[in-house]
Every structure is written in structure tokens, then in C-alpha cells.
Amino acid sequence: MAANGGAAADKVPAVANPLSEKPSEIASNINYHAQFNPHFSPLKFEPEQAFFATAESARDRLIKQWNETFVHFHKVDPKQTYYLSMEYLQGRALTNAIGNLNIQDAYADALNKLGHKLEEIVEQEKDAALGNGGLGRLASCFLDSMATLNLPAWGYGLRYKYGLFKQRIAKQGQEEIAEDWLEKFSPWEIVRHDVVFPVRFFGQVEVNPDGSRKWVGGEVVQALAYDVPIPGYKTKNTISLRLWEAKACADDFNLFQFNDGQYESAAQLHSRAQQICAVLYPGDATEDGKLLRLKQQFFLCSASLQDIILRFKERKSGKGSREWSEFPSKVAVQLNDTHPTLAIPELMRLLMDNEGLGWDEAWDVTTRTIAYTNHTVLPEALEKWSQPVMWKLLPRHMEIIEEIDKRFLALINGTRPDLQHKLPSMRILDHNPQKPVVRMANLCVVSAHTVNGVAQLHSDILKAELFADYVSVWPTKFQNKTNGITPRRWLRFCSPELSNIITKWLKTEGWVTNLDLLSGLRNFADNADFQKEWASAKMANKKRLAQFILRVTGVSIDPNSLFDIQVKRIHEYKRQLLNILGTIYRYKKLKEMSPEQRKKTTPRTVMIGGKAFATYTNAKRIVKLVNDVGEVVNNDPEVNGYLKVVFVPNYNVSVAEILIPGSELSQHISTAGMEASGTSNMKFSLNGCLIIGTLDGANVEIREEIGEENFFLFGAKADEVPKLRKDREDGLFKPDPRFEEAKQYIRSGAFGKYDYNPLLDSLEGNSGYGRGDYFLVGHDFPSYMDAQARVDEAYKDQKKWLKMSILSTAGSGKFSSDRTIAQYAKEIWNINECRVP
């Protein structure tokens, strides 16, 4: 063994102890993996090698629990939930695994014996790049809760090699480069070489003499399963996230063509298969891009359903004959947004064409199996696929969708003639001759037994507006399931100092799995000793964050300033533009003050982070603007003691785990009615961070839970927005002079030569595409500035601020994903605990 831990490691015998909890035996097990399960040249035991060996050692424990869980589920044969999602934002797994297994101290000791520090080893792991934003992180929190609640459930997703992208900030703004999380390998996944399913694309439909139909021809790729273990917290249950990889067979390699020098065409199917799981959300401006996205969605649905059906049949064979009508009493499928909608026609196809069921029986099984979660009211995010593209790629599925549409029309015509005039918008197929499309959300609502929104306000909007006509047909189909977050990753592990104080004062660690217990902290909100400990934990987190910011951006920030953070995908509706315009106004005012006046202000560090989608021009302009403002402000000696502006690059789960605990104010400032829920608002709140925000998404419920006096509210309400847009069109909007001043300051060239007019033009005019301030930045600006002034005042009274911070954490109990998942299990899936003995 060489350098850096090499000498220490030489003294530890390399012996397999896969299940030990003793530090010395864990150290031996880690060393055993380094020597006998090698991935690197011998004699190397630097932090990177130590990480892989440590992960494999922890994985030994997980595999035992995983196998026991699998066997137990097989024996008990409970109803199971299968969660289908295009995204999972897992983050790093090592801290979470040894934390949930409750062996982090033993692992820290073991690594010391090997000459390494756990904190440094943990930093070697790359985030699993399988998601983009809240939708993917929600799916990951849900898996953690399913395992912790001992529920029989699995996640299904795709194994993206290059993720969405890694964000780099250059002079020109954001640059996208491929994620490298699989460049070496992931120590957590286990490839299941025996779990392979064929997935077909293109081809045609053959009609047999008996009238049955079969999809044939086209191209067939193989779906290969990779399993990632998901351990519950302090429980034996360990469930699976099954990720599919697309492959072609050796038979598909044309040796004759290759030897003839036709190298590309010899391996054509191999390269097409590789494209499927290369990138999350590939650009879809071209027809090929659209086909690839549709391929990804179908690939996920088909492989997952074939797997689910096979498992049902295997258990059936052990239990004598089992009727297909029993399928929904053994299987629940949840569609996370519209991306996996093709599960509906695919399940119909598998049941009819492969298993020989008739339409009525297949439809009964499908509609009792599938449920749908809606995540957005933004029209551009409600997927609509071109009918010609669908006919080309999935001809059999289009036949099935046509039939579902036809029968839905007949149902409404027969039972609800009063709704006939609404059918053009309610039906699944939009036959607009210019652009015929399939409306995926409509297909989900018509076919699923339950449709849910993800926060009370969002679910109310779905029922009153987006899906109002369906509600009158199926009043009991619609539910609310307010999102939640896992308290393990988002407090217990990412803020150990704060966690230990909470445990000490509540005299129990029970809050980690029963988050409602946090309400007990209200008893200590005014306690001076408690406030002092709380403040020191927050300061430790702020210092850790300041070191991180210095390391990744080179900007030094003052931990005594107010840390103000907005991190989320960059989108006009999330209004990072409102934040930076407010910050620009603050900078301009600071410039105009005398040194004495400046000393009376509240020093603030504004941090903004998030990825802009590669083809979303205005979002990328916002990223550039934040960076340009930071460049000027942070180098202005008159002002930089009172204001710093930092763009945090490449925001991901691991970055969030540093930012959120160190934050004191966080901004959740979307135009009311446009953010379905938001979940980072819950993470900040849980960590004692105060929110400045609109009455949107889960903000509404957070404010109710923590007390409205502890929430900095501003902006128009959701039900006022349509009239405000109408007023704007009618030329009735009068802008606030401060708003005009901030925009003018950008136009004056104060932040460099880049032409920001195209971005600012979106705030100008009264109507027209990309104009007329659709997201009401101008309308909400004065109210936002007033709320920010209240923040500045409140922060000056540190005792009051600390009390608000404590009450914020104390009111966050409702927002545990354990509560959310328990509600799904009982009210949608009808599944029960299945605890491994």
C-alpha cells in the first residue's frame, strides 16, 4: 500500500467481514475490498481508492438486507407499488447508507485506522446524475420513505450515462458539459445479467386470422437491469431502484459489413441503443430529438411493465393459477408526471396481444392498476406528442390510444350530453390539421384510477381549472398529496450540529422518523441557552458554506452577513430575475449612500444557483446577468463590505446539502399559481431558514404551519393573476419607479457591455410573444422590495430572528416525505407495511 493512508492500511489485515459492526473488522473488510476486489493498480490506497473500497464494504451489509427483503416480499406476496419516473436525483449515497444502517461512527473509526478521514472520503463520491430538479429529488425522497416505512415498493428509472449536464460558468455565461459520474463506475449498482427484456420500436401491426393483433418488425433493443439498493432508516428493509440500460446483442453486430470496412453501419443498432440512455432530456427541436425522447419514455415503460408482469406470473405459478383480474390487487403503478404515460397503452398491449385478454378485461386491469401524479399547470410542460411521430415509432400503441379516445367520446356522449361542447379539449387526440397531437395528461386522467396534485393550492387549481371538466365526470378521482422531503438526508445527515441540539433538547432521536415531534421545540423558542446553541450550530454551517463558496468561486463571503439563497432550476416563472433586479436596486442605493449611512444597513450575501436548460435562452441570460452583477459588486470596495453577489455553479444535491443548512433567508418567489409545490422551500424551513415568498405551491402550507408572522410574504395571489395580466394587456399597468431604475441601471452598461435588452424586453410592452411581463415581475417588484426591507429590519434583532428560525424548524413536521408516502400507501395504492423480521 502506498502514500496517504498506505502505511496505516498495511497494519490492517485484509480479511472479509461483510456484516461486522466493529471498527477494526470494518477496517479489515475495507482493506479486503481494496485488495481482492480491485479496480486500480495495486499498492494504491489514496482517498479515491479508499472511497470505492469503503462503499463496497457498506454495500456488503446492504446486499444481505436487500436479499432478505426480496425473499420476504416473495414469501408474503403483498400488493406492491412500482414507482415510474424519468428522473431520480439521488445525490451521494455513502453518508446516507451508513447513516441509515446506523454505523457511521464505526465507519469513521475504521477509516481512521486506515489513515483516512470519513469526511474526506465522502467527498470523493460523485452525485448520481439521474435527474434535473424537484421532480427527480422528490422521487428519491419517496424511495427513502418507502424503505423507512417498510413498504413493499420499487422504483423504476433509466441509467443515464451523461445525466442532464454539468454546469460551468465562463465569460459567456453557462456552458454545458457531460456529467462524468459513470466515467469510472458506480460502486452502488449491481447489474442483473439475468434480467433482460426486449423493447421494440417502429415496425407494423399484423392482424391474425382470429382478429388478434401483433406488433412486429422494426428494431428491437434489449433492456438490461441495474439495481441500486435503497436502505430504510434503522430498519432491515432495503428496497430497489431498478435502472434500465439499453443494449444491442452480439447477433445485431454485422460482422460481414465490418470486415468489408463498413464500420458504422455494422454497429448501427448498437449505437442507436446507446443513444437511449445517454442523456436526460435530449434537445427535442428536431424530429430525431423528439423520436429519441419518445424512445426513452417508451423504453422505461415497456421494460418496467414486462418486469412487473413477469414477477406477477412467477408468484402466480407458486400459488396455483391466478386470474388476471387479481393483478390490481397485487400491483400498483404510479406515474410520476406525464413522462411515463405510455405505460397505459403498453400495459393494454401486453395484456391483450401477449396474454390474450379481451379489451374490456385489459381495460379493467389497467385502470385499476395505474395512478397519475400531476406536477405542473404550465401549458408548455403538459406533454403533447405529434401523432405522425407516434404512429411511426409506436403503431400498435396509437391504435390502442385511438380506441381509448373513441370509447371516452362514447362515454361522454352517452352519459353527459351537457359536456359535448367540451369534448374537443377533453379528448385525448387533438386532430388539429396543422398539428395533430396526443395529449398525454388527458390520456392519464381518462385512464388512471386516481389523479393527484402535489400541494393543496396546486390540487385546488387542477380541480377548478386544468381538469375541471373531468372532475364533473369523476368527482372522486382527484386527490391532494402535499409533497415532502426525507428528514434523514435533509437534516439528520446534512446538519449534524443542529440535529444533535434538537435531539438533546427533545430528549429523543424519534423526530428523525416522526417529524411532528419537532413541534416540541416551540417550548424552547425563547430559551436563551437554547437560542445560543442554535446560533452556534447555524454559524458552524455558515462557515462551512463560506469555505465552500471560496473553494468553488474564489469569492470570500462574510459569515456575519445575512446569507440569502435562491437555488432551483433557472426559469422565468421562478423569477430569479426579480431577485437579481432587487439586488441591483440595493447595490445602486448603497452606491449613493455616505459611508455612515452604509454602516446602518444590514450586510447581505446573495447567492443564486441552478441550471438553465441548454436551449432556454432567457434563462441563460439570467445566469449571465447574475454573474456579471457579482463581478462588479464583489470588486467594488465601497460596497462589498455590505453586499456580495455569488452565482453558485453546478447546483446539485451535494451542493444543496451545504447551502441549505448555512442559509438564513431563502427566496421562493414564483408567480402565484405557477409552482406546483416546491420542495426546497421545505428543506430550508426544516433547517431553520426563513422564507421570503409568494402564496404559491407549498409556501401556502408552510406559512400556515410555522405561523404567518415567521414568513415574509409579498406579491399577487393566484386568483388575482389572470386579471392583472388582462389589465396589463389593456395598458393599465403603472410601473414602480424603483423597478424602472433597476432596469435602467442594467441598460446603462453598469454591469458590462453584454446586451441585456432581449431579456429586459420580456418585461416591456403590454402583449405579444415573450413580452408584456407574463410573470408579473414588475407588478410584484414594489411589494417584494417592501418585504426585503422587513427582512433587513428583522435581522437586526438577532434574538427575534433566532426565535423565528427555531419556530420555522418546529413547524416543519408536516413536510416529511414519510407523511406523504403513508398517505399515498393508504389512499391511492392500498398497500401495507411488510417488515423484514
Side-chain angles (χ1 to χ4, degrees):
M1 291 282 165
N4 206 359
D10 287 342
K11 299 189 180 115
V12 175
V15 178
N17 295 299
L19 307 178
S20 179
E21 294 186 17
K22 282 194 198 141
S24 59
E25 293 181 356
I26 291 173
S28 287
N29 197 51
I30 292 171
N31 214 357
Y32 174 84
H33 278 286
Q35 291 195 31
F36 295 104
N37 203 355
H39 306 283
F40 299 92
S41 317
L43 306 182
K44 254 195 181 168
F45 197 64
E46 278 148 27
E48 186 181 32
Q49 287 77 34
F51 160 68
F52 283 108
T54 304
E56 288 177 330
S57 170
R59 195 183 79 170
D60 290 344
R61 277 285 296 270
L62 293 178
I63 287 176
K64 179 173 194 290
Q65 293 190 183
W66 206 8
N67 290 341
E68 286 172 358
T69 306
F70 188 81
V71 167
H72 183 64
F73 287 177
H74 198 81
K75 199 168 76 198
V76 177
D77 190 26
K79 181 175 183 180
Q80 289 196 46
T81 289
Y82 301 96
Y83 195 83
L84 266 58
S85 179
M86 285 298 281
E87 296 185 40
Y88 291 89
L89 213 46
Q90 287 287 99
R92 292 172 173 158
L94 180 56
T95 305
N96 195 68
I98 60 178
N100 277 4
L101 291 166
N102 202 24
I103 45 176
Q104 57 274 65
D105 293 347
Y107 264 78
D109 288 355
L111 281 164
N112 281 339
K113 293 183 195 304
L114 293 165
H116 286 293
K117 283 203 176 93
L118 178 59
E119 305 76 79
E120 288 167 12
I121 297 308
V122 160
E123 287 295 313
Q124 293 293 315
E125 183 171 3
K126 293 184 193 299
D127 277 41
L130 298 169
N132 174 22
L135 178 94
R137 185 53 234 172
L138 181 78
S140 295
C141 282
F142 278 3
L143 294 178
D144 182 82
S145 287
M146 289 168 186
T148 298
L149 293 172
N150 301 305
L151 291 170
W154 289 60
Y156 279 110
L158 295 183
R159 184 176 177 268
Y160 304 105
K161 189 168 180 188
Y162 301 116
L164 186 76
F165 60 82
K166 207 151 78 174
Q167 182 190 52
R168 251 209 314 245
I169 302 300
K171 252 303 167 247
Q172 307 75 43
Q174 168 182 296
E175 287 180 351
E176 302 87 21
I177 46 182
E179 285 272 13
D180 58 353
W181 77 289
L182 286 175
E183 199 77 343
K184 292 197 169 84
F185 67 104
S186 163
W188 304 106
E189 60 183 22
I190 291 183
V191 57
R192 304 289 188 193
H193 291 289
D194 55 330
V195 182
V196 184
F197 295 100
V199 177
R200 186 183 306 276
F201 303 111
F202 308 112
Q204 59 283 330
V205 179
E206 240 174 32
V207 186
N208 298 324
D210 64 355
S212 65
R213 307 174 87 79
K214 203 151 187 68
W215 181 27
V216 296
E219 62 182 42
V220 177
V221 298
Q222 307 299 318
L224 171 66
Y226 284 75
D227 283 352
V228 179
I230 309 290
Y233 180 73
K234 292 189 179 176
T235 171
K236 284 186 184 166
N237 283 52
T238 299
I239 61 173
S240 266
L241 168 57
R242 178 158 282 181
L243 301 170
W244 299 108
E245 159 102 303
K247 297 184 89 75
C249 311
D251 285 356
D252 297 315
F253 184 78
N254 189 323
L255 204 55
F256 180 82
Q257 281 184 334
F258 191 86
N259 286 329
D260 193 36
Q262 303 174 48
Y263 306 126
E264 269 81 24
S265 48
Q268 201 172 23
L269 195 64
H270 287 73
S271 94
R272 281 207 206 121
Q274 273 166 353
Q275 291 164 9
I276 293 172
C277 294
V279 172
L280 169 64
Y281 300 140
D284 59 356
T286 62
E287 160 121 354
D288 280 346
K290 289 184 177 67
L291 272 171
L292 181 56
R293 276 211 195 184
L294 204 51
K295 272 185 172 181
Q296 289 183 325
Q297 294 188 356
F298 179 66
F299 182 75
L300 168 66
C301 295
S302 182
S304 304
L305 284 168
Q306 290 182 68
D307 195 29
I308 292 165
I309 285 176
L310 181 66
R311 195 166 308 135
F312 174 76
K313 288 163 89 169
E314 282 174 353
R315 295 202 179 155
K316 181 170 146 178
S317 60
K319 300 266 191 299
S321 85
R322 186 188 263 175
E323 297 300 317
W324 281 103
S325 58
E326 288 173 47
F327 189 80
S329 63
K330 290 295 175 187
V331 173
V333 172
Q334 188 69 34
L335 309 182
N336 192 26
D337 213 351
T338 51
H339 310 125
T341 304
L342 291 166
I344 295 162
E346 175 65 355
L347 183 52
M348 289 292 290
R349 181 189 75 84
L350 291 166
L351 292 172
M352 293 191 298
D353 301 1
N354 288 13
E355 305 299 336
L357 275 64
W359 179 278
D360 292 336
E361 200 185 347
W363 181 246
D364 176 65
V365 169
T366 300
T367 55
R368 289 194 295 130
T369 299
I370 289 178
Y372 158 58
T373 301
N374 171 280
H375 284 276
T376 183
V377 293
L378 292 183
E380 70 270 20
L382 287 171
E383 293 188 292
K384 297 177 179 69
W385 287 103
S386 141
Q387 289 187 30
V389 171
M390 293 266 293
W391 277 111
K392 180 172 167 183
L393 190 72
L394 303 168
R396 179 68 180 118
H397 299 77
M398 274 305 283
E399 290 185 342
I400 292 167
I401 292 167
E402 270 194 333
E403 186 65 25
I404 295 172
D405 187 54
K406 190 175 106 189
R407 289 176 183 235
F408 173 67
L409 294 181
L411 170 80
I412 299 301
N413 285 323
T415 59
R416 293 293 302 274
D418 58 310
L419 283 176
Q420 279 175 341
H421 67 290
K422 296 283 185 73
L423 278 175
S425 65
M426 289 175 77
R427 64 180 301 179
I428 296 158
L429 297 175
D430 177 353
H431 289 304
N432 170 352
Q434 269 70 55
K435 204 182 170 200
V437 293
V438 182
R439 302 178 181 128
M440 300 314 244
N442 292 18
L443 178 54
C444 287
V445 174
V446 167
S447 313
H449 61 82
T450 307
V451 175
N452 74 282
V454 289
Q456 194 61 57
L457 174 71
H458 171 235
S459 297
D460 291 345
I461 291 173
L462 288 184
K463 290 208 286 200
E465 297 172 31
L466 197 65
F467 298 143
D469 296 325
Y470 299 108
V471 175
S472 74
V473 181
W474 297 295
T476 59
K477 185 178 278 205
F478 297 85
Q479 298 187 13
N480 174 54
K481 294 285 169 277
T482 298
N483 282 342
I485 56 172
T486 167
R488 273 73 63 183
R489 185 178 289 270
W490 294 115
L491 180 53
R492 179 66 193 85
F493 304 147
C494 73
S495 185
E497 296 90 345
L498 206 58
S499 291
N500 293 337
I501 292 167
I502 292 169
T503 298
K504 174 184 155 184
W505 284 78
L506 290 179
K507 298 190 166 55
T508 173
E509 224 188 21
W511 61 269
V512 181
T513 47
N514 179 5
L515 205 59
D516 289 328
L517 294 177
L518 289 180
S519 62
L521 297 175
R522 290 187 177 126
N523 304 330
F524 316 120
D526 289 304
N527 182 306
D529 293 336
F530 183 58
Q531 285 193 355
K532 195 173 156 204
E533 291 182 30
W534 193 266
S536 77
K538 285 301 287 185
M539 182 49 79
N541 286 330
K542 287 179 77 176
K543 286 181 170 161
R544 189 182 299 136
L545 170 50
Q547 287 169 346
F548 170 77
I549 293 293
L550 183 61
R551 194 176 84 236
V552 299
T553 68
V555 179
S556 74
I557 58 176
D558 176 7
N560 293 306
S561 65
L562 166 60
F563 279 10
D564 163 357
I565 300 184
Q566 185 183 19
V567 279
K568 45 188 85 253
R569 291 180 299 124
I570 309 291
H571 199 297
E572 284 165 288
Y573 88 83
K574 293 178 186 281
R575 299 202 296 191
Q576 287 91 352
L577 188 52
L578 175 60
N579 184 348
I580 196 64
L581 283 167
T583 305
I584 287 166
Y585 184 80
R586 176 183 288 264
Y587 171 62
K588 186 169 188 288
K589 293 299 118 180
L590 281 165
K591 286 293 281 177
E592 292 164 4
M593 288 177 189
S594 68
E596 274 54 55
Q597 288 172 307
R598 282 186 202 126
K599 284 190 181 121
K600 293 185 188 138
T601 62
T602 303
R604 194 185 281 227
T605 302
V606 177
M607 294 170 246
I608 297 177
K611 293 176 180 178
F613 196 68
T615 53
Y616 188 173
T617 314
N618 263 356
K620 292 178 87 166
R621 288 182 180 126
I622 292 168
V623 173
K624 176 152 176 60
L625 178 59
V626 175
N627 280 287
D628 287 352
V629 171
E631 189 65 32
V632 170
V633 173
N634 302 341
N635 294 304
D636 184 332
E638 291 183 317
V639 172
N640 63 15
Y642 303 95
L643 179 65
K644 288 263 175 89
V645 178
V646 181
F647 187 87
V648 185
N650 201 39
Y651 180 59
N652 61 18
V653 175
S654 294
V655 174
E657 287 168 10
I658 299 170
L659 286 176
I660 292 170
S663 178
E664 292 172 291
L665 178 76
S666 81
Q667 306 211 25
H668 302 274
I669 57 179
S670 50
T671 314
M674 304 204 77
E675 186 71 88
S677 166
T679 42
S680 68
N681 44 6
M682 302 169 185
K683 293 161 196 160
F684 282 103
S685 231
L686 179 64
N687 280 272
C689 172
L690 299 182
I691 290 177
I692 181 170
T694 48
L695 274 184
D696 198 17
N699 281 3
V700 179
E701 291 161 80
I702 291 173
R703 185 166 167 265
E704 279 167 14
E705 294 292 315
I706 68 174
E708 48 197 62
E709 66 284 0
N710 302 311
F711 188 104
F712 297 99
L713 181 69
F714 76 95
K717 298 184 174 63
D719 56 4
E720 299 165 354
V721 168
K723 182 175 183 321
L724 289 167
R725 287 187 177 140
K726 179 86 180 73
D727 288 351
R728 177 77 184 229
E729 276 181 36
D730 296 343
L732 301 175
F733 172 66
K734 298 271 180 294
D736 186 272
R738 293 174 289 181
F739 181 58
E740 295 303 298
E741 208 177 321
K743 289 186 298 184
Q744 195 39 50
Y745 202 45
I746 300 174
R747 289 194 169 110
S748 74
F751 305 107
K753 294 194 176 59
Y754 183 81
D755 179 13
Y756 281 107
N757 280 314
L759 174 62
L760 296 172
D761 283 350
S762 70
L763 307 173
E764 308 296 349
N766 293 328
S767 60
Y769 181 72
R771 286 177 68 79
D773 193 8
Y774 185 74
F775 300 102
L776 306 189
V777 176
H779 175 276
D780 282 357
F781 190 82
S783 159
Y784 175 68
M785 295 311 288
D786 297 346
Q788 289 287 16
R790 296 200 304 276
V791 171
D792 287 334
E793 273 317 295
Y795 197 71
K796 286 177 179 160
D797 180 351
Q798 273 297 298
K799 203 168 161 45
K800 179 186 166 191
W801 186 277
L802 278 168
K803 179 179 179 175
M804 292 167 79
S805 169
I806 292 162
L807 290 173
S808 181
T809 299
S812 293
K814 172 180 177 178
F815 303 105
S816 168
S817 47
D818 298 346
R819 185 263 319 147
T820 314
I821 285 298
Q823 289 177 334
Y824 274 98
K826 186 167 177 248
E827 296 161 23
I828 298 182
W829 302 331
N830 191 22
I831 61 169
N832 299 302
E833 176 179 284
C834 189
R835 186 189 291 262
V836 176

